[in-house]
Amino acid sequence: MRYKLTLSLLLFFIGAFTLIAYRSDDELFGAILKKMEAYNVSHEQEKVHLHLDKPYYAIGDDIWFKAYVINAQTSKPSTISNILYVELINEKDSIKAQLKIPLIQGITAGDFKLAESFSEGNYRIRAYTRWMQNAGTEFFFDKTIKVGNSWSNKVFTSTSYQYSKAEASDAVKATIKFADKDGNPYVNGEVSYEVQLSNRSILKGKEITNAQGEVAVNFNNTQPAIYKSGKILTTLTLPDKKKVTKEVIIKATSSAIDVQFFPEGGNLVENIPAKVGIKITNSDGLGENAEGIIVDNAGQEIVKFDVSHFGLGNLIVNPEPGKTYTAKIKFKDGSEGSYNLPKAITDGYGLSVKNNENDIQVRIMLSKNMVGKGELKLVAQHNGNVYLTTQSNSSKQVISTVIQKKDLPSGILQLTLFSAENQPVCERLVFVRSSIGQISTALSTDKSEYNRKEKVSVVLSGLVNSNPIQGSFSVSVTNASAVKPDELNESNILTSLLLTSDIAGYVEKPNYYFLQDDVTTRSNLDNLMLTQGWRRFLWKNIIAGSIPNSVFSAEKSLQIGGIVTDLGGKKPIPNTSVSLYSTVGTFFGVDTLTDANGRFTFDNITFPDSTKFVVQAKNLKGKKNTIIKMDVVSGQLVTRNKNTGDITVNTNEALNLYLKQSENYFNELVKSGRLEKSIALKEVTIEQKKQRVTVSANLNGAGNADAILTADQMKNCITFTQCLQGLGGMMMRNGVPGLARFGGAPMQIVFDGMYVEAEFLNNINPSDVESVEVLKTIGYTSLYGTRGGAGVLVVTTKRGSGFVSSSSMVVPGIVTYTPKGYSIGRAFYAPKYEPNEPVPGLDLRSTIYWNPFIATNDNGKASFSFYNSGEPGTYRIVAEGIDANGNLAHHVYTYTVK
């Protein structure tokens, strides 16, 4: 929950420096706060967190996830959106899979199958609602995961880089090693390669691998300011003459180090001592530790500093008038560099914050010329909720106060200082660690040590302020011996919803800041707050009223809509009947009328993905001389991966131990006959004759029919039914197709995968048809059951393979349409072993148990059970959850299997 604090809980007065509460008669500042409140009402924001079953995967694995979507202002499960999009994005920034799943009170779950068609590499899982698109992609959940491939992979690459300078360009030497899964090098293999920087080809060549299976690829980046990264496309010819293509990531073309300085509050001001945050990042996107000194323009040493945590640190400097300052930094490789600090402004304000265990000490400092210039205001807000507004006379140069943390919620507190002119002049982020908003979670098992394949019974309990809560939890169990956790780099419900969702840029090892609450951790977390930018809103935009209108509406349900016009496509037709029907399991049909603008909408419908619909419209006279234009929902563009520090060049090498476990797992599935067809097909060579039809909804497969009519054969047909006469013994009686062998009984017509009536045929333009297939023998009609008793006519249009939008369909009054529907989730399978009976075979599962829907009862408890795998080790249970008030839970529990 979120609590707005009274002034008495927040402030006490120090010496002669008195802060007084904001006065209601200050209309200008009151108007700003009202604009803020109005902004929160009109621009509610959502945050997403995905709990994944494990931190990395192999080809053939399933990615299981549960989604938690909260309202950023209330921190409660969101009711703004009822639909969530979850995407799997590859290294080319292309969407490999997209799920559209329903949200119920901010909760949902799903999964991705990493089919054999996927390649190893760095994938991203991105999640967002349509409403979140208004705020921009930087607010999406976006996590990088490593995916390796061992079982179906013959060639493994390992790459190292050396960088140097060649005049104005970056010179790069990439040494690529090719080996089999056992580490044996491919010697004397021909490798052709192409170097691409930002998708621009800069070099092609061929090399022969040496005795270590290596080739060296040397190239120059002549435009380092433009081209920052890329890839090397390699093709290795194996001893059996087969060719294998591998992509090698180029994360950077130089070893350049980026150094940035962030004065606390925003600016350095002459004669005002200030803390300056330092952020040092290497070419891999990770923090680089270093040490150095600050010197003034006369070469006088001012202060020493040390950057020893993920490239983050700070120093204190008191800028003197007319002086400039330089940081001389020595890096861990022995190299050195000089970097200028921001130049100090002559007059202004300073905002100094000390984040203690129980309180936040705030000091406001004014340069002499700012004294007596009116009253200053300090605002503290968290996720759009204003917790403190104070006003102070500027008669003194230093104003101090203390904010008690005991009643503040966990997360980022934004402190903003406003001038007498009501302009924001200083800003500072502070992270508050609080018991408010946290569920005290406990897990217990019936034993502390188990045997392999033994049943484990677990009790989960949740309390808030010692009171039991009813919450929704997700639980993952893995064998830490097979899936080694990286606790520091773990993203969980706390790191996502309290930290990374509210600040700009990449956060290295986010869970580090939540594992301990000691002086060192708080200091390092404060350095992160100094150097990362707030990104939820800008005060200056709120003050100016320049808040953009929301382009995307919050999705409450699946919708199908469009507009009906005359045949010319220009004049909308109002009050006309529109029908929507489909055959998904059973027949589905619904009717509506167009509005005054010719628009129609079918709302509150539910259908699975890939469902094909037929939309039909008739004008007021009952004729079909209309054109239907379906609404086209544009997809979300894929931005570049911001989490560069999590990208691994040698994915398979990084996952070496896990991939061996994965290979053993799949080999065991093959032996037991439990391997899914998508993987088993790799061992089968299938001979297929060439098909005259490549795409259709024929249940027997495209082209498997007794008679076929192709687009080329229909060029001279005036009407579509003219083309059908005589095809495969078919006759037309009153516009109804039938086969002589069935006495002319009406055939079942399948139009772009939809069962339709014979009247559809009269409105089809022959030039729109890709193919016609006639099914009449039992070998082809049996799959259609009783529908195929008199034969089946399969008609596929030239748009029948896509079904994304039918806005260009020219058949009057009718379109086929396949919008994005709900993805159907799968159930997690875990074996059940009977007690006191021998258990044959090996069980090498890496994810032992996954359950995204565990609910605690009135007593705040829930119980569940599962069976261990056949491997010993330390088993790790990770539970995450949320209650109706937005309190969050994250808990890790381990036990031993011998």
Side-chain angles (χ1 to χ4, degrees):
M1 294 182 65
R2 295 295 181 256
Y3 306 92
K4 294 190 178 182
L5 307 182
T6 62
L7 194 62
S8 60
L9 291 173
L10 292 172
L11 302 176
F12 68 86
F13 307 112
I14 300 178
F17 311 133
T18 303
L19 283 164
I20 60 176
Y22 156 72
R23 297 177 307 187
S24 60
D25 60 349
D26 188 340
E27 297 180 358
L28 290 177
F29 192 62
I32 293 175
L33 297 181
K34 287 183 179 179
K35 286 183 179 181
M36 171 76 169
E37 186 176 346
Y39 170 85
N40 288 333
V41 172
S42 62
H43 289 75
E44 289 183 298
Q45 297 190 31
E46 293 175 309
K47 300 181 184 181
V48 181
H49 167 67
L50 298 188
H51 177 194
L52 307 182
D53 65 306
K54 54 193 172 197
Y56 45 76
Y57 299 86
I59 298 300
D61 281 348
D62 297 288
I63 300 175
W64 302 96
F65 66 84
K66 178 176 182 177
Y68 297 87
V69 183
I70 68 169
N71 183 314
Q73 276 70 47
T74 66
S75 294
K76 296 180 180 181
S78 177
T79 57
I80 300 172
S81 299
N82 291 342
I83 296 176
L84 181 72
Y85 298 86
V86 185
E87 297 166 340
L88 191 60
I89 302 171
N90 64 13
E91 290 178 338
K92 300 176 182 178
D93 293 328
S94 298
I95 297 175
K96 288 289 292 184
Q98 184 191 67
L99 305 178
K100 186 176 183 178
I101 46 183
L103 279 168
I104 300 176
Q105 295 295 313
I107 300 296
T108 191
D111 64 276
F112 290 105
K113 179 70 176 179
L114 293 172
E116 193 183 8
S117 59
F118 285 44
S119 59
E120 70 267 19
N122 298 272
Y123 285 79
R124 296 158 58 191
I125 295 184
R126 187 172 74 166
Y128 59 94
T129 65
R130 187 72 69 188
W131 178 252
M132 289 173 66
Q133 289 181 270
N134 292 305
T137 57
E138 64 269 21
F139 294 97
F140 295 177
F141 177 89
D142 200 330
K143 178 177 175 60
T144 299
I145 57 170
K146 293 186 285 289
V147 176
N149 187 7
S150 177
W151 194 74
S152 60
N153 190 17
K154 291 184 177 180
V155 178
F156 291 74
T157 61
S158 176
T159 307
S160 61
Y161 290 95
Q162 291 178 294
Y163 306 106
S164 59
K165 278 292 183 182
E167 296 181 351
S169 64
D170 292 337
V172 182
K173 179 182 179 181
T175 302
I176 309 171
K177 180 178 180 178
F178 297 86
D180 63 18
K181 64 177 62 180
D182 297 320
N184 301 312
Y186 284 105
V187 180
N188 295 324
E190 183 181 271
V191 178
S192 60
Y193 62 84
E194 178 183 359
V195 179
Q196 295 181 357
L197 295 179
S198 300
N199 295 319
R200 172 178 171 266
S201 179
I202 67 166
L203 180 67
K204 294 181 179 180
K206 288 184 178 181
E207 294 287 343
I208 302 296
T209 58
N210 60 20
Q212 289 75 44
E214 299 173 340
V215 296
V217 177
N218 296 279
F219 62 93
N220 286 352
N221 180 7
T222 58
Q223 295 180 287
I226 300 175
Y227 304 123
K228 303 291 187 181
S229 59
K231 59 190 173 184
I232 306 174
L233 304 177
T234 67
T235 301
L236 171 68
T237 301
L238 299 177
D240 60 3
K241 303 304 180 184
K242 291 184 178 179
K243 297 181 183 295
V244 176
T245 299
K246 293 287 182 178
E247 290 190 8
V248 177
I249 296 175
I250 304 172
K251 289 186 68 173
T253 62
S254 75
S255 57
I257 292 177
D258 181 60
V259 178
Q260 299 180 71
F261 300 99
F262 300 88
E264 185 174 23
N267 292 303
L268 288 178
V269 182
E270 291 180 355
N271 293 318
I272 293 181
K275 181 185 292 185
V276 179
I278 309 170
K279 183 176 183 178
I280 305 176
T281 309
N282 62 27
S283 58
D284 284 335
L286 297 172
E288 185 84 1
N289 293 337
E291 59 183 20
I293 61 172
I294 300 296
V295 298
D296 61 19
N297 51 329
Q300 181 70 33
E301 180 179 322
I302 305 300
V303 66
K304 288 184 171 67
F305 64 88
D306 180 69
V307 178
S308 57
H309 170 77
F310 305 155
L312 303 177
N314 71 74
L315 58 90
I316 303 294
V317 64
N318 188 357
E320 296 183 27
K323 287 192 175 183
T324 58
Y325 298 89
T326 301
K328 294 186 177 296
I329 303 177
K330 184 176 181 179
F331 302 103
K332 61 183 181 180
D333 63 358
S335 62
E336 298 182 359
S338 295
Y339 304 87
N340 295 328
L341 267 65
K343 188 175 180 180
I345 60 177
T346 304
D347 294 303
Y349 303 89
L351 184 64
S352 175
V353 174
K354 186 177 181 181
N355 191 3
N356 300 315
E357 182 177 3
N358 299 313
D359 58 46
I360 303 169
Q361 296 181 6
V362 181
R363 282 203 309 165
I364 301 169
M365 294 166 285
L366 294 70
S367 57
K368 287 184 177 181
N369 289 337
M370 294 297 169
V371 174
K373 293 292 183 67
E375 293 181 321
L376 305 176
K377 298 93 176 176
L378 180 68
V379 175
Q381 68 85 25
H382 174 271
N383 280 336
N385 298 303
V386 176
Y387 282 84
L388 167 69
T389 58
T390 67
Q391 190 165 308
S392 173
N393 191 298
S394 61
S395 60
K396 303 291 184 180
Q397 275 194 273
V398 179
I399 306 167
S400 300
T401 190
V402 173
I403 301 174
Q404 299 296 330
K405 296 166 68 172
K406 61 184 179 66
D407 295 313
L408 287 172
S410 292
I412 296 176
L413 189 72
Q414 181 188 19
L415 301 174
T416 307
L417 178 67
F418 287 84
S419 67
E421 292 77 25
N422 294 321
Q423 293 299 312
V425 291
C426 289
E427 195 159 86
R428 175 70 148 87
L429 302 185
V430 182
F431 191 88
V432 176
R433 189 188 297 270
S434 170
S435 61
I436 296 177
Q438 306 286 309
I439 298 174
S440 177
T441 311
L443 291 167
S444 61
T445 52
D446 52 336
K447 297 167 61 177
S448 60
E449 187 175 87
Y450 294 85
N451 294 319
R452 306 175 197 184
K453 299 184 179 180
E454 186 177 357
K455 184 177 181 180
V456 180
S457 297
V458 185
V459 174
L460 182 153
S461 61
L463 301 173
V464 173
N465 297 326
S466 301
N467 297 315
I469 58 96
Q470 290 181 292
S472 176
F473 292 81
S474 50
V475 169
S476 171
V477 183
T478 56
N479 183 348
S481 301
V483 183
K484 295 189 179 300
D486 182 1
E487 281 196 313
L488 296 183
N489 201 37
E490 188 177 74
S491 64
N492 55 54
I493 197 168
L494 302 180
T495 66
S496 291
L497 299 183
L498 300 182
L499 179 63
T500 57
S501 61
D502 283 327
I503 55 177
Y506 168 67
V507 177
E508 184 176 347
K509 300 188 184 304
N511 199 40
Y512 161 83
Y513 303 103
F514 291 84
L515 293 176
Q516 301 291 335
D517 187 21
D518 52 28
V519 174
T520 300
T521 303
R522 287 195 299 272
S523 175
N524 291 331
L525 179 53
D526 202 52
N527 286 333
L528 178 69
M529 295 294 99
L530 274 171
T531 55
Q532 301 284 124
W534 175 259
R535 64 183 190 182
R536 279 287 163 186
F537 66 87
L538 296 176
W539 277 107
K540 63 180 182 180
N541 291 341
I542 292 176
I543 294 171
S546 57
I547 306 300
N549 294 324
S550 297
V551 177
F552 300 95
S553 299
E555 288 183 295
K556 297 296 185 181
S557 66
L558 295 179
Q559 291 184 343
I560 294 177
I563 186 171
V564 179
T565 69
D566 60 7
L567 290 178
K570 295 182 179 180
K571 182 180 179 181
I573 302 179
N575 301 317
T576 193
S577 174
V578 182
S579 301
L580 173 77
Y581 52 96
S582 174
T583 51
V584 182
T586 58
F587 180 80
F588 164 82
V590 64
D591 299 309
T592 190
L593 293 175
T594 59
D595 62 15
N597 299 312
R599 289 201 53 79
F600 64 91
T601 301
F602 296 99
D603 202 354
N604 295 318
I605 54 178
T606 300
F607 54 89
D609 201 17
S610 301
T611 301
K612 300 179 180 66
F613 291 93
V614 170
V615 184
Q616 178 177 303
K618 297 180 181 180
N619 62 19
L620 295 177
K621 297 181 180 180
K623 296 183 179 181
K624 302 176 186 175
N625 55 345
T626 61
I627 293 295
I628 304 172
K629 298 179 181 178
M630 303 302 298
D631 291 338
V632 177
V633 180
S634 59
Q636 174 60 52
L637 294 177
V638 179
T639 55
R640 294 187 64 183
N641 191 349
K642 67 175 182 179
N643 299 315
T644 55
D646 290 334
I647 296 174
T648 302
V649 173
N650 302 309
T651 307
N652 284 330
E653 187 175 59
L655 301 180
N656 181 47
L657 294 178
Y658 176 72
L659 293 182
K660 289 180 179 179
Q661 173 79 10
S662 173
E663 183 179 8
N664 293 335
Y665 171 68
F666 285 120
N667 286 337
E668 181 62 25
L669 291 183
V670 171
K671 292 177 184 178
S672 61
R674 291 178 289 143
L675 187 63
E676 293 188 12
K677 184 183 293 185
S678 62
I679 299 296
L681 282 175
K682 77 176 283 292
E683 301 294 343
V684 181
T685 301
I686 301 176
E687 297 289 340
Q688 286 188 329
K689 61 182 180 180
K690 289 187 176 180
Q691 304 275 351
R692 297 172 64 191
V693 177
T694 58
V695 177
S696 81
N698 186 345
L699 297 180
N700 302 281
N704 293 314
D706 294 295
I708 296 175
L709 191 66
T710 63
D712 289 339
Q713 296 170 313
M714 286 184 276
K715 289 180 178 178
N716 298 321
C717 295
I718 298 175
T719 65
F720 180 61
T721 53
Q722 177 191 7
C723 296
L724 301 180
Q725 190 69 39
L727 178 64
M730 187 167 51
M731 61 185 74
M732 300 296 297
R733 292 180 178 175
N734 298 320
V736 180
L739 293 167
R741 66 184 300 171
F742 297 115
M747 299 175 68
Q748 175 61 64
I749 304 170
V750 180
F751 179 75
D752 279 350
M754 293 293 306
Y755 295 114
V756 298
E757 300 299 324
E759 65 175 3
F760 272 73
L761 302 178
N762 297 320
N763 294 308
I764 297 176
N765 189 328
S767 62
D768 289 322
V769 178
E770 180 68 25
S771 66
V772 178
E773 298 163 274
V774 175
L775 316 179
K776 57 183 181 180
T777 59
I778 188 65
Y780 289 138
T781 61
S782 59
L783 289 177
Y784 290 85
T786 56
R787 288 181 180 271
V792 181
L793 178 66
V794 181
V795 181
T796 302
T797 69
K798 292 177 179 177
R799 294 154 208 81
S801 60
F803 298 110
V804 176
S805 170
S806 301
S807 59
S808 59
M809 190 71 174
V810 295
V811 179
I814 300 174
V815 296
T816 58
Y817 183 59
T818 302
K820 184 74 177 175
Y822 286 140
S823 302
I824 305 298
R826 295 177 298 133
F828 178 83
Y829 169 76
K832 294 182 178 180
Y833 299 118
E834 296 298 328
N836 304 319
E837 290 188 14
V839 181
L842 298 176
D843 182 351
L844 305 177
R845 291 169 292 144
S846 56
T847 298
I848 310 303
Y849 179 73
W850 167 255
N851 190 340
F853 298 119
I854 294 177
T856 51
N857 58 22
D858 291 340
N859 297 319
K861 295 183 180 295
S863 60
F864 55 94
S865 61
F866 55 89
Y867 290 83
N868 296 321
S869 74
E871 293 284 280
T874 299
Y875 283 45
R876 189 170 186 256
I877 305 176
V878 178
E880 297 196 338
I882 193 170
D883 69 3
N885 291 318
N887 298 301
L888 305 177
H890 174 76
H891 190 75
V892 178
Y893 177 87
T894 60
Y895 65 92
T896 302
V897 175
K898 59 183 179 179

